[in-house]
Amino acid sequence: MKDEKLPRKEKFSEWYNEILQMAEIVDVRYPIKGICVWYPFGFALRQRIYSILRSLLDVDHQEVMFPLLIPENEFMKEAEHIKGFEEEVYWVTKGGSKSLEMPLALRPTSETAIYPILRLWIRSHVDLPLKIYQIVNTFRCETKHTRPLIRVREITSFKEAHTAHSTWEEAELQVKDALKLYGDFFRKLAVPHVITKRPDWDKFPGSDYSMAVDTLMPDGKALQIGTVHHLGKNFSKTFDIRYEDPVGEQRYVNQTCYGISERCVAAMISVHGDDKGLVLPPEIAPTQIVIIPIAAKGKDVLGACKHALEMLKVAYRVVLDDSQERPGAKYYRWEMKGVPLRAEIGPREMEEGEVMLVRRDTFEREAVHLSKLSKAVEDKLSAIHADLYEKARQSLESRIAGCKTLDEAKVAIRKGMAKVSWCGEEGCGLRMEEATSGVVLGELAAVERGKCLICDKKTDKVVLMARSY
Amino acid sequence: MKDEKLPRKEKFSEWYNEILQMAEIVDVRYPIKGICVWYPFGFALRQRIYSILRSLLDVDHQEVMFPLLIPENEFMKEAEHIKGFEEEVYWVTKGGSKSLEMPLALRPTSETAIYPILRLWIRSHVDLPLKIYQIVNTFRCETKHTRPLIRVREITSFKEAHTAHSTWEEAELQVKDALKLYGDFFRKLAVPHVITKRPDWDKFPGSDYSMAVDTLMPDGKALQIGTVHHLGKNFSKTFDIRYEDPVGEQRYVNQTCYGISERCVAAMISVHGDDKGLVLPPEIAPTQIVIIPIAAKGKDVLGACKHALEMLKVAYRVVLDDSQERPGAKYYRWEMKGVPLRAEIGPREMEEGEVMLVRRDTFEREAVHLSKLSKAVEDKLSAIHADLYEKARQSLESRIAGCKTLDEAKVAIRKGMAKVSWCGEEGCGLRMEEATSGVVLGELAAVERGKCLICDKKTDKVVLMARSY
């Protein structure tokens, strides 16, 4: 880790790039633009986040693993889907010095890898619903400006779930379940978010409709952190995925798919971090508590530190930093890494049988007697999570402004989201985007009487607009 | 799962291909030859095996994740290394419809992806030793006959560790540590193995020397299931990986790397499986015990089964199969999946307050009183592991034959390994291979007086020969 100063978080773009390197999340110095290396610490963070995602999915999904390479003929089967991806697909055309008979796509997403096999796995209504997921690397040959964890060429950590159902309505219920699951997941990361239905011109290529989970980054731009797509029978017809219903008739399945990428890590870092580095929700933090001895001549504080370590390590991920550095250097380092609680023990604490607990998020200090340490730590960690979430939620809500005019919307999206009425016509939506230089994120579930900002038609529809990553 | 009969294990090749499909390990019907799909059950098995490998490595290695794509110029830097891989490398040459400025290799292994970054991570002797690993997908455009989990084009589960040290001797100690770790790992899979030093003509391209872990498959062919390479300074000079030693001088690091692929899954399946399906060591089995009610009119055996389930699930991965199938169909299914212990409860067991425990490996049956169930299960599971390992070890040892002539060696390698004396000259080694149609796996650590099979020269060296995968 470089012993340098992090840029202030106000300068978000600089802060973001630097914190990834200084906190050792990802190393951006890999010799291909838009492709990063996960440091050991970043990888540990990634693993904790994805193990939470796994535990939520494992309740009723099965984890599988499909190949990276997709033959061109399979990849090209779904016309809409292709149109959406073809300019971004990496193609393997050579093996050794020979040209391949058929080019192989690096999956940008796995519908066309998985669905030819689902065709074999699904025979009868008893095979339904089928719910699988995988966590894999996917690839996009990005032409836009890349940004670590946010817009990358190798998405190292794409969680994609795929489900098949008898009816369109059942698939719709799955869309709702998936959104609920994503809500639970992002609450564990203490990342507040909004859910909208993407407009038709921005839905997943080949879907009936797309739902999206967005959050707001500190610079006021929206970041899509999860999507859920209702695929209807579009892919099942293309890939001939049928089941025999209870009366013996062959029917096409209805499908959904939903994904989350390492953008969830980017959001978690960006929403909570501060001028001193990462601030991690306790459930995510690879180290939850760091014990730091404040040495003084003739006092064996280390013994007291070890005692506290023994007490805490039963229930928490705790580290005793007994290196030779001065305490200030240790503070700097562990603050950068976002460790939620610091436990200091100096001569005074030792004499009183106490530990000084310092919260990473507020720097609030409290001396706690050893006999009450475990309980105090438990309370503080859960308070940290609740406070992080509440603060972030308020910040998000304060940056969503109801707007009655294009001008108001244009102003609102400089620092967040604009909530506006829209008639539902694509033409009006696109004109709203043009006039504000923002995008229509999508429609809220809420119903609000109003008039379309463009055509003045009465409408119940409200959409969120924002600048977006 | 297809309700079909598994070929007998004597016909190993057929048995192997069928069991992967019937036990739902991998689906070989993916539309690219040599590339498979992990079924949910196979994936669960893979996860258990790799979490054991992770826990062994995590003691003193850090997990990281490096990119899949390697720029051609980096990939081409180490001349020896390239020669070893160039005919097997897949190349990405297009992004969308455009040709890339520089072709990108799909990693066949990650030295050339990792070492340009290690150059940045290592500055001083305090950064050493550095020990990292990753579990990733790698690619080989195989021209030989492919075989699921054994010779594949996408290796989905390549664990590769990379270490850097101050001195050649320290790196050599790491080679020994890695071999010990691999030994521990394969003992957990109850897979016996031999360790040899690969002959120079078969070492890892760019290494000083290679150590290898091999096991014997049921058809008598050797399967390489792990390798450990001493890289010396070959790569550190190419990639300019230096450290400042304690007196301020710049020195090149000494490196090792070592890998294990999904061949470990193939070996575990092949060594233990039988005519009825998988036989899994208890630590690996996704389900360790299946409880099967043997229904009879007017007897509520299900209650007793649930009681046993509650008792066992505290400490074991246990399933109660209360589906409507007849017991025989259940036996078939769970035997195919290799569940180590079956617990049957019928009217008689219920009345006696007993459970009938049936071992998957021996089909030995024993009625156990509920009060002694937990202890009995613990004992049986540990006996199953010990017996599986011992049986496999004896089988391996019985198929290693000391041979004094080429003819004896030729006969020995029809069913296993031949142990022969060799002078150490490459010419003699190659002639031994030619004369026996086998390969020299490598040199044993043991010293045995003898004469080279080819040149008759006196020697202490003994090598193992075999046919190999």
Side-chain angles (χ1 to χ4, degrees):
Chain A
M1 189 162 49
K2 296 180 286 179
D3 205 12
E4 288 168 12
K5 195 138 177 67
L6 191 62
R8 299 197 54 157
K9 200 182 174 188
E10 300 163 2
K11 299 181 176 176
F12 175 67
S13 192
E14 288 169 44
W15 177 90
Y16 180 75
N17 287 330
E18 273 304 311
I19 200 172
L20 294 180
Q21 197 76 37
M22 291 178 73
E24 296 183 324
I25 306 291
V26 290
D27 195 328
V28 300
R29 295 170 291 178
Y30 192 74
I32 302 178
K33 207 168 71 94
I35 289 190
C36 303
V37 175
W38 287 93
Y39 277 106
F41 178 75
F43 192 81
L45 197 62
R46 170 194 186 269
Q47 287 301 78
R48 290 210 61 78
I49 290 174
Y50 279 83
S51 73
I52 288 173
L53 187 52
R54 274 197 166 99
S55 71
L56 291 169
L57 285 161
D58 285 344
V59 173
D60 65 346
H61 297 67
Q62 292 188 295
E63 190 166 358
V64 293
M65 191 179 265
F66 279 75
L68 170 72
L69 300 173
I70 306 172
E72 187 183 34
N73 60 342
E74 297 291 346
F75 189 75
M76 292 301 189
K77 270 186 184 161
E78 222 290 327
E80 280 299 310
H81 187 66
I82 292 324
K83 262 198 289 176
F85 286 105
E86 66 186 344
E87 275 312 307
E88 292 183 357
V89 172
Y90 280 115
W91 290 100
V92 177
T93 62
K94 282 174 65 185
S97 51
K98 298 201 187 76
S99 288
L100 299 180
E101 281 173 34
M102 183 185 289
L104 304 171
L106 301 194
R107 60 184 162 217
T109 169
S110 299
E111 287 72 20
T112 57
I114 295 178
Y115 298 169
I117 299 296
L118 282 200
R119 177 174 174 272
L120 305 170
W121 288 4
I122 296 171
R123 313 256 77 165
S124 142
H125 63 99
V126 302
D127 299 325
L128 301 179
L130 180 143
K131 304 181 193 180
I132 56 176
Y133 77 97
Q134 61 178 6
I135 299 173
V136 294
N137 51 352
T138 63
F139 293 81
R140 308 270 167 96
C141 183
E142 288 290 349
T143 48
K144 295 188 201 169
H145 188 65
T146 59
R147 194 183 299 267
L149 305 181
I150 291 179
R151 187 172 298 281
V152 289
R153 290 180 165 173
E154 176 173 7
I155 300 158
T156 61
S157 318
F158 190 50
K159 188 286 299 168
E160 48 178 330
H162 298 266
T163 72
H165 308 266
S166 315
T167 64
W168 199 92
E169 290 70 26
E170 260 188 62
E172 176 138 275
L173 287 176
Q174 187 62 35
V175 168
K176 293 199 167 79
D177 282 353
L179 286 170
K180 189 179 159 308
L181 190 152
Y182 283 4
D184 292 344
F185 172 64
F186 283 111
R187 264 185 301 279
K188 296 251 187 193
L189 306 193
V191 169
H193 48 272
V194 292
I195 293 174
T196 63
K197 183 178 176 181
R198 285 274 184 265
D200 265 4
W201 63 89
D202 194 27
K203 68 182 187 184
F204 182 70
S207 71
D208 277 0
Y209 67 86
S210 290
M211 303 297 296
V213 182
D214 292 280
T215 192
L216 262 182
M217 295 290 261
D219 59 0
K221 284 164 76 176
L223 182 70
Q224 170 181 302
I225 51 178
T227 49
V228 182
H229 312 293
H230 194 312
L231 303 179
K233 296 179 181 168
N234 306 325
F235 284 88
S236 65
K237 286 181 176 170
T238 303
F239 288 95
D240 193 28
I241 311 174
R242 282 173 294 147
Y243 70 99
E244 192 177 281
D245 75 7
V247 297
E249 234 164 293
Q250 291 285 318
R251 299 187 181 278
Y252 289 109
V253 299
N254 287 272
Q255 293 176 275
T256 79
C257 65
Y258 33 103
I260 278 181
S261 76
E262 56 251 49
R263 282 186 168 196
C264 63
V265 181
M268 201 264 304
I269 290 172
S270 303
V271 168
H272 304 304
D274 66 17
D275 291 352
K276 289 173 183 287
L278 298 177
V279 178
L280 297 179
E283 207 174 333
I284 309 303
T287 300
Q288 297 176 302
I289 309 153
V290 58
I291 302 172
I292 296 185
I294 315 290
K297 250 187 216 154
K299 304 278 183 185
D300 178 24
V301 292
L302 207 56
C305 289
K306 282 180 184 162
H307 181 57
L309 176 69
E310 291 305 314
M311 283 179 71
L312 292 174
K313 79 177 184 190
V314 189
Y316 302 102
R317 296 184 292 278
V318 55
V319 163
L320 164 58
D321 185 351
D322 57 1
S323 63
Q324 293 306 308
E325 283 172 305
R326 60 195 164 75
K330 293 182 186 180
Y331 295 171
Y332 168 87
R333 200 150 42 81
W334 293 105
E335 283 168 3
M336 183 65 75
K337 293 276 169 83
V339 176
L341 266 187
R342 181 168 81 217
E344 305 172 4
I345 302 183
R348 186 164 54 188
E349 284 79 18
M350 202 184 69
E351 268 169 36
E352 305 283 338
E354 287 181 342
V355 172
M356 182 63 74
L357 293 179
V358 186
R359 277 173 63 158
R360 172 65 184 87
D361 59 335
T362 58
F363 293 101
E364 194 189 323
R365 303 168 66 84
E366 189 186 353
V368 169
H369 196 268
L370 271 173
S371 61
K372 292 176 183 155
L373 182 60
S374 294
K375 182 72 171 68
V377 164
E378 186 187 333
D379 291 347
K380 281 188 192 289
L381 291 181
S382 88
I384 289 172
H385 184 96
D387 292 353
L388 284 180
Y389 186 62
E390 185 53 24
K391 189 177 154 205
R393 196 188 60 73
Q394 284 178 15
S395 164
L396 170 62
E397 286 190 3
S398 73
R399 290 182 290 160
I400 302 177
C403 300
K404 298 285 177 205
T405 67
L406 284 172
D407 281 343
E408 280 177 34
K410 204 170 168 175
V411 172
I413 69 171
R414 277 189 211 141
K415 65 185 193 99
M417 296 178 183
K419 193 164 86 175
V420 302
S421 292
W422 170 53
C423 66
E425 292 297 324
E426 179 162 336
C428 289
L430 294 175
R431 282 180 60 194
M432 277 157 50
E433 293 191 343
E434 208 184 303
T436 58
S437 308
V439 296
V440 174
L441 291 177
E443 199 182 324
L444 289 165
V447 165
E448 271 180 43
R449 296 296 290 169
K451 287 179 181 170
C452 174
L453 244 55
I454 300 293
C455 70
D456 233 23
K457 207 181 284 174
K458 280 188 184 166
T459 177
D460 286 341
K461 288 185 198 296
V462 266
V463 295
L464 289 179
M465 299 192 67
R467 294 171 301 140
S468 85
Y469 274 92
Chain B
M1 189 163 52
K2 296 181 286 181
D3 205 11
E4 289 169 9
K5 196 140 175 64
L6 190 62
R8 298 199 54 160
K9 200 182 174 188
E10 301 163 2
K11 299 181 176 177
F12 175 68
S13 191
E14 289 169 44
W15 178 91
Y16 180 74
N17 286 330
E18 274 303 311
I19 201 171
L20 293 180
Q21 197 76 36
M22 291 177 73
E24 295 183 324
I25 306 291
V26 290
D27 195 329
V28 300
R29 295 172 291 177
Y30 192 74
I32 302 177
K33 207 167 72 94
I35 289 190
C36 302
V37 175
W38 288 93
Y39 277 107
F41 178 74
F43 192 82
L45 196 63
R46 170 193 187 272
Q47 287 301 78
R48 289 210 63 76
I49 291 174
Y50 279 81
S51 73
I52 288 172
L53 187 52
R54 273 196 166 100
S55 71
L56 291 169
L57 286 160
D58 285 344
V59 172
D60 65 347
H61 296 67
Q62 292 189 295
E63 190 167 357
V64 293
M65 191 180 265
F66 278 76
L68 170 72
L69 300 173
I70 306 172
E72 188 183 34
N73 59 342
E74 297 290 347
F75 189 74
M76 292 302 189
K77 270 186 184 161
E78 220 292 327
E80 279 300 310
H81 187 65
I82 292 322
K83 262 198 290 175
F85 286 104
E86 65 186 346
E87 274 314 306
E88 293 183 357
V89 172
Y90 280 115
W91 290 100
V92 177
T93 61
K94 282 174 66 184
S97 51
K98 298 199 187 78
S99 287
L100 299 180
E101 281 173 34
M102 183 185 290
L104 304 172
L106 301 194
R107 60 182 162 219
T109 170
S110 299
E111 287 72 19
T112 57
I114 294 179
Y115 298 169
I117 299 296
L118 282 200
R119 177 175 173 271
L120 304 170
W121 288 4
I122 296 170
R123 312 256 76 167
S124 143
H125 62 99
V126 301
D127 299 323
L128 301 178
L130 180 143
K131 305 181 192 179
I132 56 175
Y133 77 97
Q134 60 177 6
I135 299 174
V136 293
N137 52 352
T138 63
F139 294 81
R140 307 272 166 99
C141 183
E142 288 290 350
T143 47
K144 294 188 200 167
H145 187 66
T146 60
R147 195 181 299 267
L149 306 181
I150 290 178
R151 188 172 295 282
V152 289
R153 290 181 163 172
E154 176 173 7
I155 300 158
T156 61
S157 318
F158 189 50
K159 187 289 297 169
E160 49 178 329
H162 298 266
T163 71
H165 309 265
S166 315
T167 65
W168 199 93
E169 291 70 26
E170 259 188 63
E172 175 139 275
L173 287 177
Q174 187 62 34
V175 167
K176 293 199 167 79
D177 281 354
L179 286 170
K180 190 180 160 307
L181 190 152
Y182 283 4
D184 292 345
F185 172 63
F186 284 112
R187 265 186 300 278
K188 296 250 187 194
L189 306 193
V191 169
H193 50 272
V194 292
I195 293 173
T196 63
K197 183 177 177 182
R198 287 272 184 264
D200 265 4
W201 62 90
D202 194 27
K203 68 181 186 184
F204 182 70
S207 71
D208 277 0
Y209 66 87
S210 291
M211 302 298 295
V213 181
D214 292 278
T215 191
L216 261 183
M217 295 290 261
D219 60 0
K221 284 163 76 176
L223 182 70
Q224 171 182 303
I225 50 178
T227 49
V228 182
H229 313 293
H230 195 310
L231 303 179
K233 296 180 181 169
N234 306 323
F235 284 88
S236 65
K237 285 182 178 171
T238 304
F239 289 96
D240 193 28
I241 311 175
R242 282 172 294 147
Y243 69 99
E244 192 176 280
D245 76 7
V247 297
E249 233 164 296
Q250 292 284 318
R251 298 187 181 279
Y252 290 109
V253 299
N254 287 272
Q255 293 177 275
T256 80
C257 65
Y258 33 104
I260 278 183
S261 76
E262 56 250 51
R263 282 186 168 196
C264 63
V265 182
M268 202 263 306
I269 289 172
S270 304
V271 167
H272 304 305
D274 66 16
D275 292 353
K276 289 173 184 286
L278 299 177
V279 178
L280 298 179
E283 206 173 334
I284 308 301
T287 299
Q288 297 177 303
I289 309 152
V290 58
I291 302 173
I292 296 185
I294 315 290
K297 250 187 215 153
K299 305 278 184 184
D300 179 24
V301 292
L302 208 56
C305 289
K306 283 180 184 161
H307 180 58
L309 176 69
E310 292 305 313
M311 284 179 68
L312 293 174
K313 80 179 183 190
V314 189
Y316 303 101
R317 295 183 292 277
V318 54
V319 164
L320 164 59
D321 185 351
D322 57 1
S323 64
Q324 291 307 306
E325 284 173 304
R326 57 193 168 75
K330 293 181 186 179
Y331 296 171
Y332 169 87
R333 199 150 41 81
W334 293 104
E335 283 167 4
M336 183 65 77
K337 293 277 168 82
V339 177
L341 266 188
R342 181 167 81 216
E344 305 172 3
I345 302 183
R348 187 164 53 188
E349 284 80 18
M350 203 182 68
E351 268 168 38
E352 305 284 337
E354 287 182 341
V355 171
M356 181 63 75
L357 293 179
V358 187
R359 278 174 62 157
R360 171 64 184 88
D361 59 335
T362 58
F363 293 100
E364 194 189 323
R365 302 167 66 84
E366 189 187 353
V368 169
H369 196 268
L370 272 174
S371 62
K372 293 175 183 156
L373 183 59
S374 295
K375 181 72 172 70
V377 164
E378 186 187 332
D379 291 346
K380 280 187 192 291
L381 292 181
S382 89
I384 290 172
H385 184 95
D387 292 353
L388 284 180
Y389 186 62
E390 185 52 24
K391 190 177 152 203
R393 196 189 59 75
Q394 285 177 15
S395 164
L396 170 62
E397 286 190 2
S398 73
R399 291 181 290 161
I400 302 177
C403 301
K404 297 283 177 206
T405 67
L406 284 172
D407 282 342
E408 280 177 34
K410 203 169 169 176
V411 171
I413 69 169
R414 280 189 209 141
K415 64 183 191 98
M417 296 178 183
K419 194 164 85 174
V420 303
S421 292
W422 171 55
C423 64
E425 291 297 325
E426 179 161 335
C428 289
L430 294 174
R431 282 180 59 193
M432 278 158 48
E433 293 190 342
E434 208 185 303
T436 58
S437 309
V439 296
V440 174
L441 292 176
E443 200 182 326
L444 290 165
V447 165
E448 272 180 43
R449 294 297 291 169
K451 287 180 183 170
C452 174
L453 245 53
I454 301 293
C455 71
D456 235 22
K457 206 180 287 174
K458 280 187 185 168
T459 177
D460 285 341
K461 289 185 198 294
V462 266
V463 296
L464 290 179
M465 299 192 66
R467 294 171 301 140
S468 85
Y469 273 92

